[in-house]
Amino acid sequence: MRSAACGRGEIASIPQTPAQVALGVISTVMAILGTVVLLAGALVLFAVVTGRADASDFGLAFAGITLSGWPPMGLAVVTLAAGALLCVTAWLGIAASRDSGRVGPYRFLCYLVGLVLLVAVLWSWGSGVILIFNPIVLSTTVTYVVVCSSLADRVQREHDEGVRGESYLLDGRQRALRLVSQVIIVTAALNAVVTLILWYAVSQMGPTAPVVLAEAECTAGQLSGRVLGWGLASAGVNLLVGLFGLRGANQPEKVRPFLWISAASFAYAVAQLVAGIATSGGLGSVQSSSITDALLYGTCTYLSVKIRRQPRGREGRAADGETGRADGAVEAGR
């Protein structure tokens, strides 16, 4: 029975609850950010080792923290440590998202970071400094204490109660759509992070300070609201699209909403691409994002159509363990 499914190239996905899926997405974003922070720390360390940096080079402020008093080596060490913490957290989170039995170390690390942050805030408060409103401290507190710890508790509770996520028999096209959908979800989360960073940077400028964005000039006060509103709205839409795609990949009978969204987005991207070529007179002046969107949503539309047209007996059969896989193979073989 299992050979029937294997003959079609179907593979059972890893069982994941919604909490584990959310944990996996957040951990992937943290892994990307951690890698970027590690690279930044490595660049600072390289500048220190090669003699291209000294204390006078750091008379600037970043995210509300003045770096003028920081020695270059200290800055490099702190940056590398922050990147390493993000990467370790991401690694433990991804492991827990794939196996709820491994959530213990991740949960311990989240609570440990939360405890360290609490001690730092109380210590600074005793010294007359309100540290909790610092953007770096506030974002770290929200991430580890509110988001990561809550997800860790949820996954641990589900593991203790024996709750197990569904596993689906996926063929090649479904696996491809699942991967594309996960990329869209992670991109949406990264867009939200970048939006918040950009919004904070613009909000620190004077309201009347001129800002040029995409050849359009406006003031920082005008741009601040636009960045936050449009950026978060775009991230929210992309997140919804990714979730629809993930559901359609797991359950082909529910792929129709994602097919409609993909087809509409593909048509819009093609129209933008054609208009750009007609306006500029060539492909060289067209923005790369227009080409990327056309390719992405064209791929999503193609995969959705193929999955929608597959034999009805292969739709959305969840597999749960060895018995579920065998049952799914029988159902798919009918």
Side-chain angles (χ1 to χ4, degrees), residues 188-247:
L190 285 174
N191 285 342
V193 172
V194 172
T195 295
L196 292 175
I197 294 174
L198 183 58
W199 169 79
Y200 175 77
V202 174
S203 65
Q204 296 305 299
M205 303 172 62
T208 59
V211 179
V212 178
L213 184 64
E215 301 182 356
E217 185 173 347
C218 58
T219 64
Q222 294 173 334
L223 184 61
S224 180
R226 296 181 192 176
V227 167
L228 186 62
W230 285 104
L232 292 182
S234 175
V237 170
N238 287 335
L239 177 61
L240 189 62
V241 171
L243 291 175
F244 273 122
L246 200 59
R247 187 182 70 162

Side-chain angles (χ1 to χ4, degrees), residues 52-66:
R52 299 180 182 178
D54 51 48
S56 62
D57 293 334
F58 293 90
L60 51 87
F62 175 74
I65 296 180
T66 301

Side-chain angles (χ1 to χ4, degrees), residues 1-317:
M1 288 183 292
R2 294 179 62 188
S3 60
C6 295
R8 288 188 303 269
E10 290 182 334
I11 299 177
S13 62
I14 297 173
Q16 288 182 308
T17 64
Q20 287 178 281
V21 173
L23 179 58
V25 171
I26 291 174
S27 298
T28 302
V29 173
M30 292 184 75
I32 296 173
L33 295 177
T35 302
V36 172
V37 174
L38 280 177
L39 290 175
L43 289 175
V44 176
L45 182 61
F46 176 77
V48 173
V49 172
T50 56
R52 299 180 182 178
D54 51 48
S56 62
D57 293 334
F58 293 90
L60 51 87
F62 175 74
I65 296 180
T66 301
L67 302 177
S68 58
W70 284 50
M73 182 59 74
L75 177 61
V77 171
V78 170
T79 306
L80 289 172
L85 175 62
L86 286 172
C87 289
V88 170
T89 305
W91 176 62
L92 293 176
I94 290 174
S97 71
R98 299 171 67 88
D99 181 2
S100 60
R102 302 174 65 180
V103 74
Y106 176 79
R107 189 164 176 254
F108 171 79
L109 178 61
C110 291
Y111 276 102
L112 178 63
V113 173
L115 179 61
V116 171
L117 288 171
L118 177 61
V119 171
V121 169
L122 292 177
W123 177 82
S124 65
W125 190 14
S127 303
V129 180
I130 306 300
L131 190 62
I132 186 61
F133 295 112
N134 180 277
I136 293 180
V137 176
L138 184 60
S139 60
T140 304
T141 302
V142 171
T143 301
Y144 277 91
V145 177
V146 178
V147 179
C148 295
S149 296
S150 298
L151 282 174
D153 290 341
R154 177 70 177 273
V155 173
Q156 182 67 63
R157 183 167 62 252
E158 290 175 344
H159 177 76
D160 294 341
E161 294 175 355
V163 178
R164 196 163 181 263
E166 288 183 314
S167 178
Y168 298 93
L169 290 171
L170 307 176
D171 62 14
R173 295 190 184 98
Q174 288 173 268
R175 293 197 299 273
L177 182 57
R178 185 183 173 96
L179 176 60
V180 171
S181 300
Q182 289 172 339
V183 170
I184 293 175
I185 292 173
V186 171
T187 302
L190 285 174
N191 285 342
V193 172
V194 172
T195 295
L196 292 175
I197 294 174
L198 183 58
W199 169 79
Y200 175 77
V202 174
S203 65
Q204 296 305 299
M205 303 172 62
T208 59
V211 179
V212 178
L213 184 64
E215 301 182 356
E217 185 173 347
C218 58
T219 64
Q222 294 173 334
L223 184 61
S224 180
R226 296 181 192 176
V227 167
L228 186 62
W230 285 104
L232 292 182
S234 175
V237 170
N238 287 335
L239 177 61
L240 189 62
V241 171
L243 291 175
F244 273 122
L246 200 59
R247 187 182 70 162
N250 291 336
Q251 299 171 282
E253 71 276 11
K254 296 181 180 181
V255 77
R256 181 175 293 178
F258 182 72
L259 173 57
W260 289 343
I261 295 173
S262 299
S265 300
F266 177 59
Y268 178 72
V270 170
Q272 273 193 322
L273 187 60
V274 172
I277 294 175
T279 303
S280 61
L283 191 60
S285 302
V286 177
Q287 292 185 358
S288 59
S289 60
S290 300
I291 301 176
T292 303
D293 288 344
L295 291 175
L296 173 63
Y297 288 109
T299 302
C300 291
T301 303
Y302 170 79
L303 291 173
S304 301
V305 169
K306 290 295 185 181
I307 291 173
R308 181 63 186 169
R309 290 178 177 175
Q310 71 183 19
R312 306 294 290 183
R314 294 170 60 188
E315 290 181 348
R317 182 70 177 183

